[in-house]
Amino acid sequence: MTTETGKDDAGARTAGPRALARQRRRQSVVRFWKQYRTHRAGLVGLIALALFALLALTAPLTFGSDVAGVTGAPGQPMESPSAEFPLGTDRFGRDLLGLLVWGSRVSLLVGLLAAALSVAIGTLVGITAGHFKGAYATVLMRITDWFLVMPTLVLAIALATVMSRSLGTVVLAIGVTSWPTTARLVRAQTLAVESRPYIERAKALGGGHWHIMSRHVLPNVMPLVLAQTTLMISSSILAEATLAFLGLGDPTVVSWGGLLQDAREAGAVSSGNWWYLVPPGIAIAVVALAFTLCGRAVESVLNPRLGVGR
């Protein structure tokens, strides 16, 4: 009887290099998903993120594209929750439920882009510092240390203040100030990878710096980068909400932090209009928690030695 492993081996012998690589990637994805779904907290986080993503993608269909318009608002200012407006209205009479759903589009987009920029910078700095060593690595790591000791939020506020108020500015401010942790982790992993014997063999066979870093180091640090990305997204969403709450976000778009700023300016705290404050705050907390749960699950799957609880 031919086993499944035997079939895979036979297929591997007859397939070309590219087909073999695709087959191995598919098998890796299947193994990853089988291990990931054993983490109940990670599944809860993934389901929550899928729901938020679905709401964000379908916002134009469910609430229309004019929900943020101040003129012609459907309700009276500061109405309490009702059958017509489940989350009440804001100070302009706009439906807060529609604003909350539309705000998810901006908050998730900024979080993803800022985390991607931060991790990309950290990965580049970490790999090059771990590979080249010497004076180059010393200068890079001293710059990294300087960014580590400086408060990230303060640096982001400074950048957002001197630049124009736009989503690009928010992404840039968060991305270029939150990469040092990733750089430190990736550099440590790079040093561990480059101490292995096959790296010495690759160098002896004439492998250049780019070949070593792209073909040998980068694939080995990618699991760490992936886990760090999922964890960074939650931090980026919180940072975007903070900047928007401080009035440093894009005033032309709706975000969760912007809703909190509007609530503060409208005096929702002193007047007891809880429906203006609570929903955006809960949404920020739930999404940040969901990304953290997913990140911990991914980290546990890719590095079982961490022993992250399920």
Side-chain angles (χ1 to χ4, degrees):
M1 180 179 294
T2 303
T3 62
E4 184 177 353
T5 305
K7 291 180 180 179
D8 292 340
D9 292 340
R13 287 193 296 268
T14 57
R18 293 184 179 179
L20 180 60
R22 287 194 297 268
Q23 181 182 358
R24 288 178 175 175
R25 284 195 291 267
R26 286 195 298 268
Q27 292 173 350
S28 298
V29 171
V30 171
R31 286 196 300 268
F32 173 84
W33 173 243
K34 286 182 178 179
Q35 296 177 26
Y36 182 91
R37 65 186 183 184
T38 62
H39 295 262
R40 292 185 294 274
L43 281 179
V44 171
L46 186 62
I47 292 172
L49 292 179
L51 292 176
F52 274 100
L54 181 63
L55 288 174
L57 292 174
T58 59
L61 299 177
T62 54
F63 292 96
S65 58
D66 58 345
V67 67
V70 176
T71 58
Q76 297 298 319
M78 308 297 282
E79 285 189 37
S80 60
S82 61
E84 184 179 3
F85 304 110
L87 295 182
T89 61
D90 67 352
R91 57 176 174 165
F92 302 110
R94 299 177 296 180
D95 183 10
L96 278 174
L97 179 60
L99 293 175
L100 186 71
V101 174
W102 267 96
S104 65
R105 297 168 66 90
V106 174
S107 296
L108 291 176
L109 178 63
V110 171
L112 290 170
L113 293 179
L117 177 60
S118 172
V119 172
I121 296 174
T123 301
L124 178 62
V125 171
I127 290 179
T128 55
H131 176 78
F132 289 107
K133 306 178 179 66
Y136 174 81
T138 301
V139 172
L140 276 185
M141 298 318 295
R142 295 297 78 76
I143 295 174
T144 303
D145 292 340
W146 183 83
F147 273 95
L148 276 175
V149 299
M150 290 293 294
T152 301
L153 183 59
V154 173
L155 291 176
I157 291 174
L159 282 176
T161 302
V162 300
M163 299 176 68
S164 61
R165 293 173 61 183
S166 65
L167 290 182
T169 297
V170 174
V171 171
L172 186 64
I174 298 173
V176 301
T177 57
S178 57
W179 55 267
T181 302
T182 303
R184 278 285 183 184
L185 294 174
V186 172
R187 178 177 180 269
Q189 185 69 10
T190 300
L191 292 175
V193 171
E194 295 223 354
S195 65
R196 297 172 183 172
Y198 70 86
I199 298 294
E200 295 295 331
R201 290 196 294 267
K203 293 179 180 178
L205 292 173
H209 296 299
W210 174 253
H211 176 83
I212 298 296
M213 289 188 293
S214 62
R215 295 297 184 90
H216 298 291
V217 177
L218 184 59
N220 282 280
V221 302
M222 279 306 295
L224 175 64
V225 171
L226 178 60
Q228 185 67 12
T229 301
T230 57
L231 294 173
M232 279 300 303
I233 293 174
S234 62
S235 301
S236 299
I237 290 175
L238 291 173
E240 185 278 330
T242 303
L243 293 177
F245 178 74
L246 295 175
L248 299 175
D250 189 344
T252 62
V253 298
V254 178
S255 69
W256 291 336
L259 290 177
L260 291 176
Q261 184 206 19
D262 288 341
R264 178 179 59 84
E265 292 180 350
V269 178
S270 58
S271 59
N273 296 330
W274 59 267
W275 61 88
Y276 209 160
L277 289 166
V278 174
I282 291 178
I284 294 170
V286 169
V287 170
L289 177 61
F291 273 112
T292 301
L293 293 177
C294 289
R296 286 174 57 85
V298 169
E299 199 173 21
S300 178
V301 171
L302 298 179
N303 189 2
R305 290 176 299 178
L306 293 176
V308 179
R310 296 182 178 182

